[in-house]
Amino acid sequence: MSSTAKIARIEGIPYRLPLTSALAWGTHSALSAAEHVLVRVTLDDGTVGLAEAPPRPTIYGETPGSVVAILAHLSPALVGLPIADTDALNRVRNSVANNNTARGALDMALWDARAKAGGQTLFETLLGPKTRVRVSFILGIDTPAGMLAEAGRVVAAGVRCLKVKVGRNHARDLAVIRELRATYGEAVQLYADSNETLTPAEAPAALDAMREAGLMYVEEPLPVRDLRARVELYARHLLPIVADDSCFLPADLTRELDFDTFDILNAKTARNGFTDGLAMLQAAAAAGKRGMVGSQASTGLGTIHAALLSTQAEVTEPCELSFVLKLRDDLIDQPIRFEDGWLDVASLRHHALDADKLRHYQLT
């Protein structure tokens, strides 16, 4: 293996993994299966770097087909470049707009290939000081009974923080949150994700009610386009606000810091990769903001990559690393396990892609 190796091939391999149940969020979005793309970068010395792209048509406008297509579009400019030339690789990767998860996965696969070409792994190059990370689980919108049942299942599996999707029925949302609080007391932390569903008129009362119900914070209560309303809501300091949809890119984060709209940055390897994810967490921390790492319903490989980013010093909050509990199967060869609210990220070092499972779940 050599750090002078060059890129020989870029591939996108779509696959589909079944879920235990659908994940619903926002006003109408739902996910019934993990239809993702394995991004594979092969170097001329045989080194292979891997990453997961989770397309989300309702969020980024991407589909598995569009991810494969944009990788093919970028491939001619990438093939032949030295894996060590990060400036050139990033120029090509950022030569197209949008395509968030495709570009994020490409970045991570390049990092993986670069580490391996230098005789290391991502764990040697990225593992930060916080090798044990608090985890949260994304509790999607369902019937109250369905949400409580799923909460019971993941708490039994070792999760101690729930990110509760809200926004379709405020009264029902609060009833579920109060029931969760009554069931688990302070043993389980709770916060909400509104996915931009509140209006400026109703948001103050809604955030007051969420705070009284015992939530730690709320993610994106207002539509991103309503910048003035978001500035005004944040200035009232009713409940800490998590920035997610408003901070897709580093340029978005710069705007949000300029206008001071949030308390906690939710950085996602699924859309930012490692390069932008690290930079965004550092910029947010320099501005006095807290940090977390989120999931785009990542499967095992994406979870390992998100977990590595979660070990950085700038990450202060529970991270969305337990979506694997919603999968019926996975592409990695070992399950990811949680213990009393924590994930031992260092223990994931030997988890690897199972080639037989990839062949089984690959879409043609």
Side-chain angles (χ1 to χ4, degrees), residues 51 228 242:
R228 187 184 301 276
V242 179

Side-chain angles (χ1 to χ4, degrees), residues 5-11 13 39-50 75 78-81 83 106 109-110 113:
K6 297 179 179 180
I7 296 175
R9 188 164 63 255
I10 306 289
E11 300 169 272
I13 305 168
V39 177
R40 184 160 60 194
V41 172
T42 304
L43 307 185
D44 59 6
D45 65 355
T47 301
V48 175
L50 299 172
S75 181
L78 290 167
V79 170
L81 289 178
I83 190 61
L106 177 59
L110 290 168

Side-chain angles (χ1 to χ4, degrees), residues 235-276:
R236 299 180 68 165
H237 297 294
L238 301 172
L239 185 66
I241 291 175
V242 179
D244 178 6
D245 301 351
S246 58
C247 289
F248 280 175
L249 302 171
D252 298 326
L253 174 60
T254 298
R255 178 196 63 234
E256 298 302 308
L257 291 175
D258 284 347
F259 283 90
D260 198 19
T261 59
F262 71 95
D263 299 277
I264 302 157
L265 172 67
N266 187 347
K268 293 184 175 179
T269 48
R271 65 168 175 246
N272 300 129
F274 295 132
T275 300
D276 289 349

Side-chain angles (χ1 to χ4, degrees), residues 16-333:
R16 184 182 192 274
L17 292 174
L19 305 183
T20 58
S21 61
L23 173 68
W25 71 93
T27 55
H28 55 76
S29 296
L31 183 72
S32 58
E35 295 188 354
H36 296 175
V37 178
L38 182 72
V39 177
R40 184 160 60 194
V41 172
T42 304
L43 307 185
D44 59 6
D45 65 355
T47 301
V48 175
L50 299 172
E52 173 186 7
R56 292 291 172 266
T58 62
I59 303 174
Y60 308 119
E62 293 175 287
T63 66
S66 77
V67 170
V68 173
I70 204 66
L71 292 173
H73 172 79
L74 293 173
S75 181
L78 290 167
V79 170
L81 289 178
I83 190 61
D85 192 346
T86 56
D87 288 342
L89 295 171
N90 284 328
R91 279 196 299 272
V92 175
R93 188 174 60 86
N94 293 322
S95 66
V96 294
N98 305 319
N99 293 284
N100 302 71
T101 69
R103 291 191 299 113
L106 177 59
D107 179 66
M108 292 186 287
L110 290 168
W111 272 73
D112 188 30
R114 187 180 305 114
K116 291 173 180 174
Q120 296 186 311
T121 70
L122 286 175
F123 283 82
E124 277 76 43
T125 56
L126 269 173
L127 190 66
K130 301 180 178 181
T131 59
R132 293 180 71 248
V133 177
R134 291 181 296 159
V135 303
S136 61
F137 179 83
I138 302 170
L139 189 62
I141 297 173
D142 195 356
T143 63
M147 294 177 73
L148 292 166
E150 183 159 60
R153 182 174 65 84
V154 299
V155 169
V159 174
R160 297 293 181 268
C161 180
L162 301 174
K163 170 178 168 173
V164 186
K165 293 286 190 178
V166 301
R168 297 185 184 179
N169 184 317
H170 185 56
R172 187 183 66 177
D173 295 338
L174 288 174
V176 170
I177 290 165
R178 291 186 181 113
E179 185 63 29
L180 289 168
R181 178 60 66 217
T183 301
Y184 299 109
E186 298 302 317
V188 173
Q189 296 176 301
L190 302 173
Y191 65 105
D193 184 1
S194 288
N195 286 113
E196 307 181 54
T197 54
L198 295 175
T199 67
E202 66 192 4
L207 266 61
D208 273 337
M210 291 178 187
R211 184 189 65 251
E212 292 172 2
L215 298 191
M216 296 190 294
Y217 24 76
V218 60
E219 188 171 296
E220 298 293 10
L222 294 176
V224 170
R225 65 180 179 274
D226 291 342
L227 179 57
R228 187 184 301 276
R230 292 193 295 110
V231 170
E232 293 172 353
L233 180 65
Y234 176 73
R236 299 180 68 165
H237 297 294
L238 301 172
L239 185 66
I241 291 175
V242 179
D244 178 6
D245 301 351
S246 58
C247 289
F248 280 175
L249 302 171
D252 298 326
L253 174 60
T254 298
R255 178 196 63 234
E256 298 302 308
L257 291 175
D258 284 347
F259 283 90
D260 198 19
T261 59
F262 71 95
D263 299 277
I264 302 157
L265 172 67
N266 187 347
K268 293 184 175 179
T269 48
R271 65 168 175 246
N272 300 129
F274 295 132
T275 300
D276 289 349
L278 287 165
M280 292 172 72
L281 285 170
Q282 290 162 6
K289 305 299 184 181
R290 292 179 277 167
M292 66 167 58
V293 173
S295 170
Q296 209 69 67
S298 298
T299 65
L301 182 61
T303 297
I304 292 170
H305 289 165
L308 282 166
L309 189 65
S310 301
T311 65
Q312 307 307 307
E314 295 82 8
V315 175
T316 59
E317 309 305 308
C319 296
E320 300 165 14
L321 304 175
S322 61
F323 187 81
V324 291
L325 295 175
K326 204 169 178 65
L327 299 174
R328 292 189 183 275
D329 200 359
D330 205 342
L331 296 186
I332 57 175
D333 58 0

